[in-house]
Amino acid sequence: ALDMQQAILELRHEPDRVFAIRVGIHHGPVVAGVIGTSKFIYDLWGDTVNVASRMESSGAADRIQISAEMYKFLRGRYLCESRGEIEVKGKGLMQTYWLNARSPFHRYISEAERSQMQIRDPEPPSDSDCA
């Protein structure tokens, strides 16, 4: 999402181009599959997809809005800013965050390294965790 955001910013420097991007991200399980008999389409379904869509639609142009669940997953590796609670259609009030940048202290962990480590879910976020 950060790379897409950067690409849009670079396209704006071209004459007669007006671009904006709004991204929403959530973390959780999905169901995926191929549908169709003559024209195949790969799609994702589930509440995670619906919440991510709500994060996008309730976000702002040129911003990446993430759910509290996504923030817990990214905390420490990315710089986030609390947006506070917002009303999310079909969900009620949800705590959300703006994803602003990669943390300068983040080190990429490959899947091979991850499988050898015992990585557990991070603790719930506190107000002091927001950058």
Side-chain angles (χ1 to χ4, degrees):
L2 291 167
D3 290 341
M4 290 181 349
Q5 188 180 49
Q6 184 60 41
I8 293 297
L9 291 173
E10 290 170 12
L11 284 173
R12 285 188 185 158
H13 296 295
E14 295 182 22
D16 301 324
R17 299 258 177 140
V18 179
F19 289 103
I21 188 170
R22 187 174 61 199
V23 178
I25 306 175
H26 183 56
H27 183 269
V30 296
V31 175
V34 177
I35 57 174
T37 56
S38 60
K39 180 179 179 184
F40 299 107
I41 299 170
Y42 183 79
D43 204 356
L44 301 172
W45 301 273
D47 191 55
T48 301
V49 175
N50 296 337
V51 173
S53 175
R54 299 289 192 249
M55 291 294 103
E56 180 271 328
S57 63
S58 64
D62 300 320
R63 300 300 304 260
I64 302 165
Q65 181 171 240
I66 62 173
S67 65
E69 289 81 0
M70 192 68 208
Y71 171 74
K72 290 176 198 174
F73 185 75
L74 297 178
R75 187 178 67 201
R77 296 179 287 166
Y78 292 83
L79 302 177
C80 301
E81 167 190 352
S82 177
R83 183 179 184 194
E85 288 187 333
I86 63 165
E87 183 71 29
V88 176
K89 181 180 173 185
K91 292 291 178 186
L93 287 176
M94 288 184 71
Q95 176 68 38
T96 63
Y97 297 82
W98 296 121
L99 173 61
N100 292 328
R102 290 173 183 85
S103 171
F105 304 108
H106 175 267
R107 177 173 119 25
Y108 174 76
I109 300 173
S110 71
E111 287 302 315
E113 290 171 309
R114 185 179 297 277
S115 67
Q116 292 177 356
M117 301 169 70
Q118 292 203 354
I119 296 178
R120 58 188 181 88
D121 289 336
E123 298 300 317
S126 68
D127 290 337
S128 62
D129 287 329
C130 293

